[in-house]
Amino acid sequence: MKFTLSWLKDHLETDASLAEIVERLTAIGLEVEHVDDKSGLKPFVIAKVLTAVQHPDADRLRVLTVDTGDGKPPVQVVCGAPNARAGLIGAFAAPGTYVPGIDVTLSVGKIRGVESHGMMCSERELEISDEHNGIIDLPEDAPVGTSFAAYAHLDDPVIEINLTPNRPDATSVYGIARDLAASGLGRLVGGGIMPHAGNGLCPVKVTIEAPELCPGFALTLVKGVKNGPSPKWLQQRLIAIGLRPISALVDITNYVTFDRGRPLHVFDAKKVAGNLVVRRAKAGEKVLALDGREYTLTPEMCVIADDNGVESIAGIMGGEHSGCDESTTDVLIESALWDPIATARTGRTLGIITDARYRFERGVDPEFMVPGVELATKLVLDFCGGTPSEIEVAGYTGHKPKIVTFPLSEVKRLTGIEVPRAEALDILIRLGFEPQGTGDVVKVKVPSWRPDIDGKADLVEEVMRIHGVDNIAPQPLTSHDAVNGKILTTLQVRTRAAKRALAVRGMMEAVTWSFIPAKHAELFGGGQSALKLANPIAADMSDMRPSLLPGLIAAAQRNADRGIGDVALFEVSGTYEGDLADQQRRVAAGVRRGTAKLDGSGRSWAGNAGPVGVYDAKADAIAALEACGAPVDRLQIEPGGPAWYHPGRSGTIKLGPKTVLGTFGEFHPKTLDGLDVSGPLCGFEVFVDAVPEPKAKPTRTKPKLELSPFQAVKRDFAFVVDRTVEAGTLVRAALAADKKLVTGVSVFDVFEGASLGAAKKSIAIEVSIQPVEKTLTDEDFEALAKRIVENVNKQTGGVLRA
């Protein structure tokens, strides 16, 4: 938001300096980003041309002698302007002066053999306007030798503030002045608007067919106007804030937009056919806008139409067909209220950014709808003449103010500062609020220009920013009981540990979008309505991700498309399931593509490495779980996983029968086709938040690790089981035979053959036995072996192989 100092002082009666105003703006939350004090125009002075003779070697050049008013002899200047003549008074730039309009620093030079010591400037060269057909021609009484910027009121500083989206009231110079006045820096002035006397009813009527998109519409007709350039002061203000003056009628709407935060639009009344209708656009309907581009509209968009069709994109931009030009004699002035969300969605869909959209999508003052037309009508009458009609108002039923219950003690509770009750209420009153009631709890009526105020915390913020955040006394940090006390949460510690473990395994961290296309979400168990965004930033970012894998797979494919096919990527972040508020998960996931094995080289001593597969993904998953503190010695691996994995090359990691800690595997060909990627690709996901919390450490005595003094023994067993029996089931059965003596079981052979019988296989295991209390006798070993055989037979049906 830009404005000039003189513009601000139209509404703020103050003796404060520029530095004081800038400091106060930042202090009350309107952070000043930049101040242009117009020092670049200081070198330009008013000078008088004494003589003008034809250049000896150029038909279009003249040699001037110029009196700069400094008491020194006149200087010689070569000038090509057609209006250069003796007696002309204009703006002179001496050598060494930077001319912004042509981006040149002047020096003494020769033009066609004649020396030139500076230049007489045009308006475009000083960036006053686009006029460059001649040099500036000032009145005869212009004081020669004085500053041209001061004489032309171009030395007006420009202040730019950075607005947060919750301050629509500060999108106007008047709103900024209101805040400064409330802070005690001056007195608010210039707010009154006298209604004009209309000459009969407005002949153009307004029908609102979409009241949910347009709560109100005001319109007036001014006949007999003469459109031309706007006054110089108005042009200078618009140029100062970066706008190009167009014509009086258009400049008035821009001025009111910035002066009062009230966007307006003007129609050439003779180009409007019939009455106006506010409605939703029809599918495929098109409009040629004022920026010269044609836009295709959708039924979600609101438009203003007449009998000819769409004349304006509501709240965004007017149409070129009904725009005003130098031939306009009758003008319709429109001031309406538009739904903020619909305006923002329309602007984003069409890719249009305008000052009107900027204000409507934040919320404008509904009570200034009609006064906005009054102000614009007054300016039109002053600049262009004409006869106004009465104002046609449609749809507006009045503003219903919010009432917020405000316990004044909240100021102390939320800020730590004691603000006296009288001061807190006075601040609210100066800002336009209406507190009512006695005691600590009051009812506060919110003004119409503050749609951002919803609760008591908002009122505390208003009190504090005017009272002064700098009044918060510095406080030393309180010391903690223990220097080495725990700072990070368990989830934060696990996240860091998982990232380190996966990075050590040669994987590179990626950060992907939380939004993915609906098609990708459906492939990975998503697609529920709860995960769909109501207002996505792009069509391919319509759903919250149910898994990290789609983003990682897409990233791997992008690398492959650029010639880097062997990549290993991981991410530790959040995924979403069902109700977003309650079912967010912390997940560590990774993918490997091509031949990106553990060392990441894609090569080995035996030749080129083979493609990545299910066991690479399994190793990554186990490493991540181990880093997170999962008891890897008690994990169970079950074959198969979610539908996006290959059914025969995937697995699920469990801790017990119900707790799923992760999944891994090679991806299903249908999944790769749906993502439009190519393999080989494998991946994993482990659920960091599903790992059980570590057991609390003992506070007094610590358990000691007791090593058995007796020799460990290993015994081999071979069992014949059905081919469908999993080796893991048999291992668990052997372990359960005696949990005190049996410390480990591992598979060292699997055999299938005709000698075993149809649909049979042999699984050979090695059982580690560690005596604890005594040396085991042969009888003890025989009894243990018997229990192992019985337990395996009971749980798997296996029999000891002969």
Side-chain angles (χ1 to χ4, degrees), residues 33-81:
E33 283 196 332
H34 180 68
V35 177
D36 183 2
D37 60 3
K38 296 297 182 180
S39 58
L41 295 179
K42 290 181 179 178
F44 297 91
V45 298
I46 298 176
K48 183 175 183 179
V49 178
L50 301 179
T51 63
V53 298
Q54 187 68 38
H55 191 289
D57 293 327
D59 294 339
R60 296 186 178 183
L61 298 179
R62 290 180 175 82
V63 181
L64 314 179
T65 55
V66 179
D67 177 15
T68 61
D70 57 0
K72 298 179 180 180
V75 297
Q76 180 174 278
V77 175
V78 178
C79 180

Side-chain angles (χ1 to χ4, degrees), residues 557-571:
Q557 184 63 38
R558 285 194 295 270
N559 279 273
D561 293 341
R562 289 159 178 78
I564 307 174
D566 302 325
V567 291
L569 304 174
F570 79 88
E571 182 173 9

Side-chain angles (χ1 to χ4, degrees), residues 249-261:
L249 293 175
V250 177
D251 293 352
I252 286 169
T253 63
N254 288 330
Y255 175 75
V256 176
T257 296
F258 280 84
D259 187 65
R260 296 303 185 93

